[in-house]
């Protein structure tokens, strides 16, 4: 009979532990990537601060629910930078 070589076979417990560790590392990586995306979005918003306030005003003046929602999203981010 053929042997699998000199490498010892992993137990089910070892395989589950490795899978859990891999999943944990993937979760950490995803959170780091989300953080980087968030920072870039805030940096972009900070660069266009005055225009963003104008956008909020325009959106609120449109009197549409979807525009209102978009304005609220901007307003939640803008106070971190300045006031109009």
């Amino acid at each position: 009979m053929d042997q699998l070589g000199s490498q010892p076979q992993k137990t089910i417990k070892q395989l589950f532990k490795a899978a859990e560790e891999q999943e944990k590392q993937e979760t950490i990586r995803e959170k780091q990537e989300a953080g980087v995306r968030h920072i870039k979005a805030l940096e972009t918003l900070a660069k266009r601060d005055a225009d963003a306030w104008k956008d909020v005003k325009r959106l609120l003046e449109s009197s549409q629910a979807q525009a209102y929602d978009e304005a609220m999203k901007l307003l939640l981010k803008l106070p971190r930078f300045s006031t109009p």
Side-chain angles (χ1 to χ4, degrees):
M1 287 200 160
D2 239 351
Q3 292 292 335
L4 293 175
S6 62
Q7 294 181 350
Q9 290 184 336
K10 293 185 178 185
T11 64
I12 296 290
K13 184 178 179 179
Q14 290 170 322
L15 291 172
F16 276 119
K17 186 174 180 179
E20 287 174 358
E21 182 62 30
Q22 186 176 2
E23 186 175 330
K24 183 193 277 185
Q25 293 301 320
E26 181 68 19
T27 301
I28 291 169
R29 185 185 61 76
E30 288 172 355
K31 286 181 180 182
Q32 289 172 338
E33 289 174 357
V36 168
R37 285 191 305 272
H38 181 70
I39 289 169
K40 287 181 180 180
L42 291 177
E43 288 172 344
T44 299
L45 184 61
K47 290 178 185 175
R48 57 177 290 275
D49 184 66
D51 289 335
W53 282 107
K54 290 176 188 174
D55 289 346
V56 168
K57 183 178 178 183
R58 178 184 50 79
L59 289 164
L60 291 175
E61 289 172 347
S62 74
S63 299
Q64 296 177 355
Q66 186 176 5
Y68 179 79
D69 291 343
E70 189 63 31
M72 290 306 297
K73 289 177 189 176
L74 278 172
L75 286 170
L76 290 171
K77 296 175 186 175
L78 283 171
R80 297 177 186 166
F81 304 113
S82 67
T83 57

